[in-house]
């Protein structure tokens, strides 16, 4: 674990906690390795939006449930809609790391059953959206960032509300919960060539959720 001096930076909206440099380099490398194992079973692909567009980030999932999007809409499924096979199990390194990251926060009891993994090649982004396909909005979304740095946008509760940008870097964690659980958010841009991890081009976000 890294320094804790920046654990609670000022002026983030209530319910958003940015844990800067919380993951040691060898932990980040292990999470990348585990992600590659997941992707051998459920490969990354560019999901379709409900309206027929295509996400520029590639996605896959692990855990009991996975989030997916296609012509049928946005939803959690217990099997990969592309193959009909169950999503790969959540790697132990994912759950162990999450437990360590959340120890000492008021979210130490968070028990996700899903992890949506986004891979952003250079140039990819994610438009402002709300995460609202989960059953219980009292449960947070916790994201671990790996690889290239990115501008994470935090908006309001209407898409048109002003957003602020937060630089997220490899080894950071971000908790979105409480009053901020349903804020619009997205990824404005990836900073090409900034991944400190030799086995990762672009950016990975491991987004832990409680789907049910
Ligand atoms: O990549 C990120 O940090 C954000 C991902 C995101 O907003 C999502 O998966 O809903």
């Amino acid at each position: 674990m890294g320094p804790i001096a920046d654990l609670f930076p000022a002026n983030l909206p209530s319910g958003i906690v940015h844990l800067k440099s919380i993951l040691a380099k060898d932990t980040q490398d292990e999470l990348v390795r585990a992600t590659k194992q997941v992707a051998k079973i459920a490969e990354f692909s560019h999901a379709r939006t409900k309206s027929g567009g295509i996400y520029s980030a590639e996605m896959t999932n692990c855990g009991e449930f996975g989030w997916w999007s296609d012509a049928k809409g946005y939803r959690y499924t217990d099997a990969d809609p592309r193959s009909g096979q169950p999503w790969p199990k959540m790697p132990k390194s994912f759950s162990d790391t999450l437990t360590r990251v959340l120890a000492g926060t008021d979210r130490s009891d968070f028990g996700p059953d899903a992890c949506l993994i986004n891979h952003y090649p250079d140039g990819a982004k994610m438009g402002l959206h709300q995460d609202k396909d989960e059953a219980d909005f009292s449960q947070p979304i916790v994201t671990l960032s790996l690889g290239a740095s990115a501008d994470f946008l935090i908006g309001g509760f209407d898409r048109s509300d002003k957003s602020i940008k937060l630089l997220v870097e490899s080894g950071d964690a971000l908790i979105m919960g409480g009053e901020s659980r349903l804020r619009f958010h997205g990824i404005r841009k990836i900073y090409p060539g900034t991944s400190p991890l030799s086995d990762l081009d672009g950016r990975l976000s491991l987004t832990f959720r409680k789907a049910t």
Side-chain angles (χ1 to χ4, degrees), residues 8-9 12 15 18 21 64 98 123 137 153:
F8 302 107
L12 284 178
H18 184 200
S21 308
E64 253 180 279
L98 187 71
F137 299 143
L153 292 180

Side-chain angles (χ1 to χ4, degrees), residues 48-50 55 67-70 72-76 133:
R48 287 190 170 270
T49 65
K50 259 194 298 207
Y55 288 96
W67 184 89
W68 203 249
S69 163
D70 54 23
K72 290 188 187 156
Y74 305 141
R75 64 203 185 280
Y76 283 93
D133 298 315

Side-chain angles (χ1 to χ4, degrees), residues 60-180:
T60 189
N61 290 274
C62 60
E64 253 180 279
F65 298 95
W67 184 89
W68 203 249
S69 163
D70 54 23
K72 290 188 187 156
Y74 305 141
R75 64 203 185 280
Y76 283 93
T77 63
D78 59 5
D80 182 341
R82 300 165 299 177
S83 65
Q85 295 302 307
W87 292 108
K89 285 200 167 39
M90 182 120 33
K92 187 167 180 315
S93 56
F94 278 30
S95 23
D96 286 354
T97 301
L98 187 71
T99 302
R100 286 208 310 278
V101 163
L102 296 181
T105 74
D106 59 2
R107 294 299 187 170
S108 57
D109 60 349
F110 178 51
D113 54 13
C115 180
L116 165 63
I117 310 173
N118 301 297
H119 176 240
Y120 300 81
D122 289 348
K125 49 180 123 170
M126 189 175 290
L128 282 175
H129 64 281
Q130 290 171 297
D131 291 339
K132 52 180 189 184
D133 298 315
E134 300 73 29
D136 178 2
F137 299 143
S138 73
Q139 297 295 313
I141 306 269
V142 181
T143 299
L144 304 182
S145 289
L146 300 167
S149 306
D151 285 341
F152 187 99
L153 292 180
I154 302 168
F157 300 98
D158 277 317
R159 190 184 296 280
S160 58
D161 288 346
K162 196 163 170 246
S163 32
I164 55 170
K165 75 175 163 51
L166 176 70
L167 181 72
V168 288
E169 296 176 297
S170 196
D172 291 0
L174 192 70
I175 305 174
M176 273 188 88
E179 290 167 32
S180 286

